């Protein structure tokens, strides 16, 4: 991963923090790793970020740790595209 940031992740309210606190350390590490990919890669592989069909700008961040799969919903601020 490069040190250059193409985007900045901003958390809304305490929803993510509440979810994150409840996870095992390995899951937390994988979530952080995935978020760094989203911030630092100009083109994000679909295995980590996918547009939800039938929506206007809603995406899911995909995190897989062992047999567990997590989907974190997100969107891009207006005027800031990838």
């Amino acid at each position: 991963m490069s040190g250059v940031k193409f985007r900045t992740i901003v958390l809304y309210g305490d929803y993510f923090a509440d979810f994150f606190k409840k996870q095992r350390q390995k899951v937390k590490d994988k979530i952080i790793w995935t978020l760094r990919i989203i911030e630092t890669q100009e083109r994000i592989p679909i295995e980590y970020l996918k547009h939800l069909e039938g929506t206007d700008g809603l995406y899911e961040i995909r995190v897989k740790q062992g047999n567990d799969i997590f989907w974190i919903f997100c969107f891009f601020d207006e005027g800031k595209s990838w």
Side-chain angles (χ1 to χ4, degrees):
M1 278 183 268
S2 73
V4 176
K5 285 177 79 172
F6 289 94
R7 59 199 61 79
T8 299
I9 295 173
V10 178
L11 305 178
Y12 179 76
D14 294 328
Y15 302 105
F16 178 79
D18 292 343
F19 158 78
F20 188 79
K21 283 187 252 182
K22 296 175 186 174
Q23 304 310 314
R24 299 182 323 272
Q25 189 58 49
K26 283 189 173 190
V27 174
K28 289 179 183 179
D29 293 343
K30 187 66 179 265
I31 291 170
I32 291 169
W33 182 84
T34 305
L35 294 177
R36 285 191 184 134
I37 285 177
I38 293 168
E39 284 186 323
T40 60
Q41 299 301 305
E42 187 171 5
R43 295 197 179 267
I44 306 163
I46 197 167
E47 65 190 89
Y48 303 116
L49 183 72
K50 182 182 178 192
H51 178 256
L52 295 175
E53 292 182 25
T55 69
D56 186 21
L58 188 59
Y59 293 79
E60 65 181 14
I61 298 170
R62 298 171 166 197
V63 178
K64 183 175 181 185
Q65 173 57 44
N67 291 326
D68 296 324
I69 300 173
F70 301 90
W71 296 276
I72 302 166
F73 296 103
C74 65
F75 57 89
F76 290 91
D77 282 345
E78 186 176 327
K80 296 182 181 179
S81 62
W82 56 292

